[in-house]
Amino acid sequence: CKNAPAAAVEHPARLHPDLICPEGVLEAGSPPPAGREVWCHRLSGTSWVRHGPSISWHANDQRKSFGEWIDDKQTGLWISWHDNGVPQAHGEYLDGYKDGIWHGYQTSGDPESEGRFVQGKEHGPWQYWTEDLIRVEGTWVDGERDGVWADYDAGGRLTSERTYRRGRLISHGAQ
């Protein structure tokens, strides 16, 4: 008696090759050209919650964002792109909030901003660029400007300083 060959197991086609859902989690959405986003989700009680990777696209089919969800909260590294394919921003989420150092980029790929988030609010020193020059720098405290903020011209020279206290402008001086 010969052993019968193992039956072939059919796996459904993935919505997108980069969308790999955790075991027991379902794919949802539609990639281009029919849609603009695919994600993983699971049933939690009577509601569907995002759980696993998520990918979205711009209207021109360039990738827009890629990141991970756990129980409907963004988590881990998230990356976004401009519609020309150049990175727009990247940083970490923790429990659904931006947390840690975030980097922003102009459509040219040059730096645009850099600073820290704590529970979704800017906190600590930040720098903002135009082209490849720092144009503004200052400090955030719990999502509000605080302390001295400096503005620079295209030659890198200080042009003005603004002082904030808990988000309120208290003085402004030109250099």
Side-chain angles (χ1 to χ4, degrees):
C1 177
K2 292 184 178 178
N3 291 335
V9 176
E10 278 194 41
H11 296 284
R14 285 195 181 134
L15 290 175
H16 190 273
D18 293 341
L19 186 73
I20 302 172
C21 297
E23 190 172 326
V25 176
L26 302 175
E27 296 179 356
S30 296
R36 294 282 163 245
E37 185 177 12
V38 292
W39 64 91
C40 301
H41 67 176
R42 65 178 181 79
L43 198 55
S44 176
T46 59
S47 301
W48 288 95
V49 296
R50 290 184 182 225
H51 194 84
S54 171
I55 308 167
S56 66
W57 291 268
H58 290 283
N60 66 0
D61 295 345
Q62 286 283 343
R63 191 168 286 194
K64 183 177 182 178
S65 69
F66 181 85
E68 187 91 11
W69 295 81
I70 293 181
D71 294 329
D72 240 7
K73 294 180 182 177
Q74 291 170 288
T75 189
L77 177 65
W78 276 73
I79 303 170
S80 62
W81 292 268
H82 291 285
D83 62 6
N84 66 357
V86 170
Q88 182 177 26
H90 66 88
E92 299 276 334
Y93 277 86
L94 180 65
D95 291 328
Y97 296 102
K98 289 181 178 180
D99 203 83
I101 301 293
W102 274 74
H103 302 271
Y105 302 94
Q106 300 167 53
T107 56
S108 64
D110 290 330
E112 181 175 61
S113 62
E114 180 181 288
R116 176 177 298 281
F117 281 91
V118 175
Q119 294 185 331
K121 296 179 181 178
E122 299 95 336
H123 193 83
W126 275 72
Q127 294 181 319
Y128 301 87
W129 289 265
T130 300
E131 296 172 3
D132 60 349
L133 299 168
I134 293 175
R135 295 305 290 267
V136 178
E137 58 185 349
T139 300
W140 294 89
V141 175
D142 293 328
E144 295 182 332
R145 292 178 183 190
D146 201 71
V148 176
W149 281 66
D151 299 297
Y152 301 94
D153 66 17
R157 291 176 297 274
L158 181 65
T159 59
S160 68
E161 289 184 333
R162 295 165 284 140
T163 302
Y164 292 86
R165 187 167 292 126
R166 296 186 191 127
R168 196 171 68 92
L169 181 64
I170 58 173
S171 71
H172 183 258
Q175 295 296 311

